[in-house]
Structures are given as C-alpha cells and as structure tokens.
Amino acid sequence: MPFTLATWNINSVRLRAGLVQKLLCDEAPDVLCLQECKSPVENIPFELFAEMGYGYWAARGQKGYNGVAILSRLPLQDAGHIDWCGKGDARHVAATLENGVTIHNCYVPAGGDVADRTVNEKFGHKLDTLTEMRDHFRANLPEKSILVGDLNIAPREDDVWSHKQLLKVVSHTPIEVEHLGNAQEAGGWVDVTRADIPEGLLYSWWSYRARDWDAADKGRRLDHIWASGDIAAAGHGSRVLRAARGWEKPSDHAPVFATFDL
DNA sequence: ATGGTCGAGGATCGA
C-alpha cells in the first residue's frame, strides 16, 4: 500500500494548530512529521488532529523549545527517541508503521550565527549532533526506514539561492555539509527528494526577515526526506508545498512530501 | 555592512 509522508517545521504547533489542520485537510498525507512544536507533549492539541482522522501519534516535547511529533492516520508504535549529545533536548522521535517501516523524525540544532565552534558552542553542538547521528546509524544500520526533518543544512549548491554568498553562512558551510554527508553515508541513507528532483533550485525555508520572501526567493533546502537503501526506490512524488509559506501567519518552513509504494 | 522578523513567555534567548 502506498503511503504519503510529509515533514514540516511548524514553529509552534499550538499557535499554528489551524495550519496543521489545513495541511491535513488540503493535502491528506498519511503521516505528518512536525518539528519545533515548542510545547510539552501534554499541551499539544492532538484531539484536533484525531477529529480529522489522525488518531495516532508519537511525540517528544519540552517547554518553549524544540519538540518533534509524528501524526498519522495509519496505526503506529512509538519506537523511542535518541537524546543526541545528552542534553535532554526533544530533537528526535521514532515510530514504526504496521508495514514495518520505521520513521525517524529529527530536528538538528540550527547552530547559531558564527560558523566556528571555538567561539560559538551552538555550532559545536550542531556538528556533534551530526557526528552522533553518524555513529548511531553506522552501529544500527537502518532497514525499512525513513529519516525526515529539519536538518538545518542545505547541502547542495542548488539547495540555496546563492552558493557563493552562503559558503560562510551557517547552514551551508563545507564543514556542515561534510558532517551531514557523513551521517547520511553511514546509514546508507538516500536523499529521496533529490533522487526524485535531481535538477534545479529547490528550497523549503525562507527567512521571516525578507521584505517579500516570495519575490526575493532567497530560500534554502533545510528540510529533508531520506530513506534506507532497501526502500529508497519505492519513493516518488517528491514536492515542496511552497504555497504554505504564504499562508496566514505562516511558519518560515514549507512542508516537504514524498510517497512510498510499499 | 547592517538589519531585517518571528515565538515563547514575560527579560531575553533561540531561530
């Protein structure tokens, strides 16, 4: 049975519960992975989503920061979470569907403003998270698995509006791209979005600070869908719902979709 | 070169 999955950094699931409902109503993915819920799990309005048929969920939360949730209209089982860097952050949750596919929903640290870990510990935290991801997936080779989320790195030249102008900007620096590539390679993860859409500029995030985000179009592809090598060929239909960036009181991220025939 | 905008939570911090 094919299923469609979406990933979206919602930037407060309570403030934007209505936008989550709109996405579920308009696009009807089978599974929706959210990041930056910014809420303890007990304060997330799961009942609003259950009313729409999304009665299954797995989540990790904390007050004010981070937070990841998987909403599903297919039954799922919580498959635990990983506390990258031992900070107690809610940056990962996993769940397994009845078809045996495990979904990892990840929120990698943004990394602060300066791309130098000797003066910016947030940047070090970001790199260390990616190193732990590398080591984890090297030791636990994923099978029948999908990894999604806001990885806060745009790895390719055509994942940003200007490769040259962003080379020293956190999210597109060579050392981040290298760390992300190491984590991807260690797990044998395939970038499903780029396997589907190998050519051309593709973004999933546009800053709030632009006067006119749509006209300026200075985007970055920070949100990703990866699949383990054994199921990657089942992935297709990848797209970014750019229109969601223009909704009322939007998140600064747009949802990314893929369908898997499994 | 700089500043620009959000959200949480009630001053800043994180993005």
Side-chain angles (χ1 to χ4, degrees), chain A residues 231-254:
Chain A
I231 63 166
H236 65 95
S238 296
R239 62 194 173 100
V240 176
L241 187 65
R242 180 183 174 114
R245 180 62 179 79
W247 289 351
E248 191 78 19
K249 295 271 284 177
S251 168
D252 46 355
H253 294 252

PDB file of all heavy atoms in Angstrom, chain A residues 231-254:
ATOM      1  N   ILE A 231      14.611   0.549   0.611  1.00  0.00           N
ATOM      2  CA  ILE A 231      13.272   1.021   0.215  1.00  0.00           C
ATOM      3  C   ILE A 231      13.310   2.332  -0.568  1.00  0.00           C
ATOM      4  O   ILE A 231      12.258   2.837  -0.963  1.00  0.00           O
ATOM      5  CB  ILE A 231      12.332   1.202   1.433  1.00  0.00           C
ATOM      6  CG1 ILE A 231      12.855   2.277   2.387  1.00  0.00           C
ATOM      7  CG2 ILE A 231      12.123  -0.127   2.161  1.00  0.00           C
ATOM      8  CD1 ILE A 231      11.797   2.714   3.400  1.00  0.00           C
ATOM      9  N   ALA A 232      14.511   2.844  -0.802  1.00  0.00           N
ATOM     10  CA  ALA A 232      14.600   4.167  -1.438  1.00  0.00           C
ATOM     11  C   ALA A 232      13.951   4.184  -2.816  1.00  0.00           C
ATOM     12  O   ALA A 232      13.337   5.184  -3.214  1.00  0.00           O
ATOM     13  CB  ALA A 232      16.056   4.611  -1.524  1.00  0.00           C
ATOM     14  N   ALA A 233      14.051   3.089  -3.530  1.00  0.00           N
ATOM     15  CA  ALA A 233      13.494   3.051  -4.893  1.00  0.00           C
ATOM     16  C   ALA A 233      11.974   3.118  -4.886  1.00  0.00           C
ATOM     17  O   ALA A 233      11.359   3.409  -5.916  1.00  0.00           O
ATOM     18  CB  ALA A 233      13.959   1.784  -5.618  1.00  0.00           C
ATOM     19  N   ALA A 234      11.369   2.861  -3.733  1.00  0.00           N
ATOM     20  CA  ALA A 234       9.903   2.949  -3.625  1.00  0.00           C
ATOM     21  C   ALA A 234       9.432   4.392  -3.479  1.00  0.00           C
ATOM     22  O   ALA A 234       8.230   4.661  -3.536  1.00  0.00           O
ATOM     23  CB  ALA A 234       9.412   2.120  -2.442  1.00  0.00           C
ATOM     24  N   GLY A 235      10.359   5.308  -3.270  1.00  0.00           N
ATOM     25  CA  GLY A 235       9.999   6.708  -3.062  1.00  0.00           C
ATOM     26  C   GLY A 235       9.781   7.430  -4.383  1.00  0.00           C
ATOM     27  O   GLY A 235      10.511   7.232  -5.351  1.00  0.00           O
ATOM     28  N   HIS A 236       8.758   8.267  -4.420  1.00  0.00           N
ATOM     29  CA  HIS A 236       8.475   9.065  -5.612  1.00  0.00           C
ATOM     30  C   HIS A 236       7.542  10.206  -5.217  1.00  0.00           C
ATOM     31  O   HIS A 236       7.145  10.333  -4.048  1.00  0.00           O
ATOM     32  CB  HIS A 236       7.837   8.199  -6.714  1.00  0.00           C
ATOM     33  CG  HIS A 236       6.490   7.657  -6.345  1.00  0.00           C
ATOM     34  ND1 HIS A 236       5.318   8.274  -6.697  1.00  0.00           N
ATOM     35  CD2 HIS A 236       6.134   6.575  -5.617  1.00  0.00           C
ATOM     36  CE1 HIS A 236       4.296   7.587  -6.216  1.00  0.00           C
ATOM     37  NE2 HIS A 236       4.769   6.540  -5.543  1.00  0.00           N
ATOM     38  N   GLY A 237       7.204  11.020  -6.199  1.00  0.00           N
ATOM     39  CA  GLY A 237       6.213  12.076  -5.967  1.00  0.00           C
ATOM     40  C   GLY A 237       6.690  13.153  -5.009  1.00  0.00           C
ATOM     41  O   GLY A 237       5.875  13.793  -4.339  1.00  0.00           O
ATOM     42  N   SER A 238       7.978  13.395  -4.960  1.00  0.00           N
ATOM     43  CA  SER A 238       8.509  14.398  -4.028  1.00  0.00           C
ATOM     44  C   SER A 238       8.099  15.808  -4.446  1.00  0.00           C
ATOM     45  O   SER A 238       8.061  16.134  -5.628  1.00  0.00           O
ATOM     46  CB  SER A 238      10.037  14.312  -3.987  1.00  0.00           C
ATOM     47  OG  SER A 238      10.439  13.061  -3.481  1.00  0.00           O
ATOM     48  N   ARG A 239       7.814  16.637  -3.439  1.00  0.00           N
ATOM     49  CA  ARG A 239       7.471  18.023  -3.730  1.00  0.00           C
ATOM     50  C   ARG A 239       7.570  18.861  -2.464  1.00  0.00           C
ATOM     51  O   ARG A 239       7.535  18.330  -1.349  1.00  0.00           O
ATOM     52  CB  ARG A 239       6.052  18.130  -4.299  1.00  0.00           C
ATOM     53  CG  ARG A 239       4.974  17.654  -3.351  1.00  0.00           C
ATOM     54  CD  ARG A 239       3.641  17.455  -4.085  1.00  0.00           C
ATOM     55  NE  ARG A 239       2.653  16.851  -3.214  1.00  0.00           N
ATOM     56  CZ  ARG A 239       1.692  17.543  -2.580  1.00  0.00           C
ATOM     57  NH1 ARG A 239       1.608  18.853  -2.727  1.00  0.00           N
ATOM     58  NH2 ARG A 239       0.839  16.922  -1.800  1.00  0.00           N
ATOM     59  N   VAL A 240       7.700  20.147  -2.659  1.00  0.00           N
ATOM     60  CA  VAL A 240       7.651  21.122  -1.570  1.00  0.00           C
ATOM     61  C   VAL A 240       6.376  21.935  -1.754  1.00  0.00           C
ATOM     62  O   VAL A 240       6.125  22.448  -2.844  1.00  0.00           O
ATOM     63  CB  VAL A 240       8.873  22.058  -1.598  1.00  0.00           C
ATOM     64  CG1 VAL A 240       8.758  23.125  -0.519  1.00  0.00           C
ATOM     65  CG2 VAL A 240      10.168  21.268  -1.437  1.00  0.00           C
ATOM     66  N   LEU A 241       5.594  22.050  -0.695  1.00  0.00           N
ATOM     67  CA  LEU A 241       4.355  22.840  -0.781  1.00  0.00           C
ATOM     68  C   LEU A 241       4.693  24.298  -0.470  1.00  0.00           C
ATOM     69  O   LEU A 241       4.434  24.811   0.614  1.00  0.00           O
ATOM     70  CB  LEU A 241       3.298  22.309   0.183  1.00  0.00           C
ATOM     71  CG  LEU A 241       1.919  22.960   0.041  1.00  0.00           C
ATOM     72  CD1 LEU A 241       1.281  22.649  -1.306  1.00  0.00           C
ATOM     73  CD2 LEU A 241       0.995  22.527   1.178  1.00  0.00           C
ATOM     74  N   ARG A 242       5.272  24.945  -1.480  1.00  0.00           N
ATOM     75  CA  ARG A 242       5.716  26.331  -1.311  1.00  0.00           C
ATOM     76  C   ARG A 242       4.575  27.247  -0.885  1.00  0.00           C
ATOM     77  O   ARG A 242       4.777  28.208  -0.131  1.00  0.00           O
ATOM     78  CB  ARG A 242       6.343  26.807  -2.630  1.00  0.00           C
ATOM     79  CG  ARG A 242       6.845  28.229  -2.605  1.00  0.00           C
ATOM     80  CD  ARG A 242       7.377  28.649  -3.981  1.00  0.00           C
ATOM     81  NE  ARG A 242       7.719  30.070  -3.984  1.00  0.00           N
ATOM     82  CZ  ARG A 242       8.947  30.545  -4.127  1.00  0.00           C
ATOM     83  NH1 ARG A 242       9.961  29.723  -4.312  1.00  0.00           N
ATOM     84  NH2 ARG A 242       9.177  31.841  -4.100  1.00  0.00           N
ATOM     85  N   ALA A 243       3.381  26.953  -1.350  1.00  0.00           N
ATOM     86  CA  ALA A 243       2.224  27.811  -1.047  1.00  0.00           C
ATOM     87  C   ALA A 243       2.013  27.969   0.458  1.00  0.00           C
ATOM     88  O   ALA A 243       1.524  29.011   0.914  1.00  0.00           O
ATOM     89  CB  ALA A 243       0.970  27.237  -1.691  1.00  0.00           C
ATOM     90  N   ALA A 244       2.400  26.952   1.227  1.00  0.00           N
ATOM     91  CA  ALA A 244       2.173  27.026   2.678  1.00  0.00           C
ATOM     92  C   ALA A 244       2.991  28.139   3.328  1.00  0.00           C
ATOM     93  O   ALA A 244       2.622  28.650   4.393  1.00  0.00           O
ATOM     94  CB  ALA A 244       2.492  25.685   3.337  1.00  0.00           C
ATOM     95  N   ARG A 245       4.089  28.533   2.665  1.00  0.00           N
ATOM     96  CA  ARG A 245       4.895  29.634   3.211  1.00  0.00           C
ATOM     97  C   ARG A 245       4.133  30.958   3.103  1.00  0.00           C
ATOM     98  O   ARG A 245       4.446  31.920   3.829  1.00  0.00           O
ATOM     99  CB  ARG A 245       6.242  29.701   2.479  1.00  0.00           C
ATOM    100  CG  ARG A 245       7.195  30.809   2.941  1.00  0.00           C
ATOM    101  CD  ARG A 245       7.591  30.656   4.387  1.00  0.00           C
ATOM    102  NE  ARG A 245       8.514  31.717   4.815  1.00  0.00           N
ATOM    103  CZ  ARG A 245       8.156  32.948   5.144  1.00  0.00           C
ATOM    104  NH1 ARG A 245       6.892  33.310   5.044  1.00  0.00           N
ATOM    105  NH2 ARG A 245       9.049  33.836   5.557  1.00  0.00           N
ATOM    106  N   GLY A 246       3.137  30.985   2.216  1.00  0.00           N
ATOM    107  CA  GLY A 246       2.335  32.193   2.028  1.00  0.00           C
ATOM    108  C   GLY A 246       1.003  32.176   2.758  1.00  0.00           C
ATOM    109  O   GLY A 246       0.213  33.110   2.615  1.00  0.00           O
ATOM    110  N   TRP A 247       0.748  31.155   3.569  1.00  0.00           N
ATOM    111  CA  TRP A 247      -0.491  31.116   4.336  1.00  0.00           C
ATOM    112  C   TRP A 247      -0.481  32.179   5.429  1.00  0.00           C
ATOM    113  O   TRP A 247       0.558  32.762   5.759  1.00  0.00           O
ATOM    114  CB  TRP A 247      -0.686  29.716   4.955  1.00  0.00           C
ATOM    115  CG  TRP A 247      -1.014  28.652   3.945  1.00  0.00           C
ATOM    116  CD1 TRP A 247      -1.307  28.838   2.622  1.00  0.00           C
ATOM    117  CD2 TRP A 247      -1.057  27.236   4.179  1.00  0.00           C
ATOM    118  NE1 TRP A 247      -1.543  27.615   2.026  1.00  0.00           N
ATOM    119  CE2 TRP A 247      -1.401  26.625   2.949  1.00  0.00           C
ATOM    120  CE3 TRP A 247      -0.861  26.412   5.300  1.00  0.00           C
ATOM    121  CZ2 TRP A 247      -1.543  25.236   2.815  1.00  0.00           C
ATOM    122  CZ3 TRP A 247      -1.006  25.049   5.169  1.00  0.00           C
ATOM    123  CH2 TRP A 247      -1.344  24.462   3.934  1.00  0.00           C
ATOM    124  N   GLU A 248      -1.659  32.430   5.997  1.00  0.00           N
ATOM    125  CA  GLU A 248      -1.795  33.427   7.064  1.00  0.00           C
ATOM    126  C   GLU A 248      -0.952  33.039   8.278  1.00  0.00           C
ATOM    127  O   GLU A 248      -1.046  31.901   8.747  1.00  0.00           O
ATOM    128  CB  GLU A 248      -3.275  33.510   7.458  1.00  0.00           C
ATOM    129  CG  GLU A 248      -3.627  34.673   8.350  1.00  0.00           C
ATOM    130  CD  GLU A 248      -3.736  35.973   7.576  1.00  0.00           C
ATOM    131  OE1 GLU A 248      -3.888  35.941   6.341  1.00  0.00           O
ATOM    132  OE2 GLU A 248      -3.659  37.034   8.230  1.00  0.00           O
ATOM    133  N   LYS A 249      -0.135  33.975   8.764  1.00  0.00           N
ATOM    134  CA  LYS A 249       0.735  33.704   9.919  1.00  0.00           C
ATOM    135  C   LYS A 249       1.517  32.401   9.738  1.00  0.00           C
ATOM    136  O   LYS A 249       1.402  31.451  10.517  1.00  0.00           O
ATOM    137  CB  LYS A 249      -0.088  33.645  11.205  1.00  0.00           C
ATOM    138  CG  LYS A 249      -0.731  34.962  11.585  1.00  0.00           C
ATOM    139  CD  LYS A 249       0.171  35.825  12.465  1.00  0.00           C
ATOM    140  CE  LYS A 249       0.192  35.312  13.881  1.00  0.00           C
ATOM    141  NZ  LYS A 249       1.138  36.111  14.710  1.00  0.00           N
ATOM    142  N   PRO A 250       2.344  32.352   8.687  1.00  0.00           N
ATOM    143  CA  PRO A 250       2.956  31.077   8.314  1.00  0.00           C
ATOM    144  C   PRO A 250       4.154  30.710   9.176  1.00  0.00           C
ATOM    145  O   PRO A 250       4.771  31.567   9.816  1.00  0.00           O
ATOM    146  CB  PRO A 250       3.417  31.332   6.878  1.00  0.00           C
ATOM    147  CG  PRO A 250       3.782  32.780   6.882  1.00  0.00           C
ATOM    148  CD  PRO A 250       2.757  33.443   7.787  1.00  0.00           C
ATOM    149  N   SER A 251       4.497  29.446   9.134  1.00  0.00           N
ATOM    150  CA  SER A 251       5.840  29.018   9.529  1.00  0.00           C
ATOM    151  C   SER A 251       6.824  29.557   8.499  1.00  0.00           C
ATOM    152  O   SER A 251       6.452  29.847   7.356  1.00  0.00           O
ATOM    153  CB  SER A 251       5.912  27.499   9.570  1.00  0.00           C
ATOM    154  OG  SER A 251       7.254  27.070   9.680  1.00  0.00           O
ATOM    155  N   ASP A 252       8.095  29.664   8.884  1.00  0.00           N
ATOM    156  CA  ASP A 252       9.106  30.053   7.879  1.00  0.00           C
ATOM    157  C   ASP A 252       9.559  28.855   7.033  1.00  0.00           C
ATOM    158  O   ASP A 252      10.324  29.033   6.098  1.00  0.00           O
ATOM    159  CB  ASP A 252      10.288  30.800   8.514  1.00  0.00           C
ATOM    160  CG  ASP A 252      10.824  30.165   9.770  1.00  0.00           C
ATOM    161  OD1 ASP A 252      10.249  29.176  10.258  1.00  0.00           O
ATOM    162  OD2 ASP A 252      11.838  30.680  10.296  1.00  0.00           O
ATOM    163  N   HIS A 253       9.054  27.665   7.364  1.00  0.00           N
ATOM    164  CA  HIS A 253       9.342  26.465   6.568  1.00  0.00           C
ATOM    165  C   HIS A 253       8.089  26.027   5.810  1.00  0.00           C
ATOM    166  O   HIS A 253       6.969  26.200   6.295  1.00  0.00           O
ATOM    167  CB  HIS A 253       9.759  25.305   7.463  1.00  0.00           C
ATOM    168  CG  HIS A 253      11.068  25.510   8.169  1.00  0.00           C
ATOM    169  ND1 HIS A 253      12.210  24.825   7.838  1.00  0.00           N
ATOM    170  CD2 HIS A 253      11.390  26.301   9.223  1.00  0.00           C
ATOM    171  CE1 HIS A 253      13.193  25.192   8.647  1.00  0.00           C
ATOM    172  NE2 HIS A 253      12.729  26.092   9.491  1.00  0.00           N
ATOM    173  N   ALA A 254       8.320  25.421   4.651  1.00  0.00           N
ATOM    174  CA  ALA A 254       7.229  24.798   3.890  1.00  0.00           C
ATOM    175  C   ALA A 254       7.330  23.279   4.037  1.00  0.00           C
ATOM    176  O   ALA A 254       8.424  22.740   4.196  1.00  0.00           O
ATOM    177  CB  ALA A 254       7.318  25.191   2.425  1.00  0.00           C
TER     178      ALA A 254
END
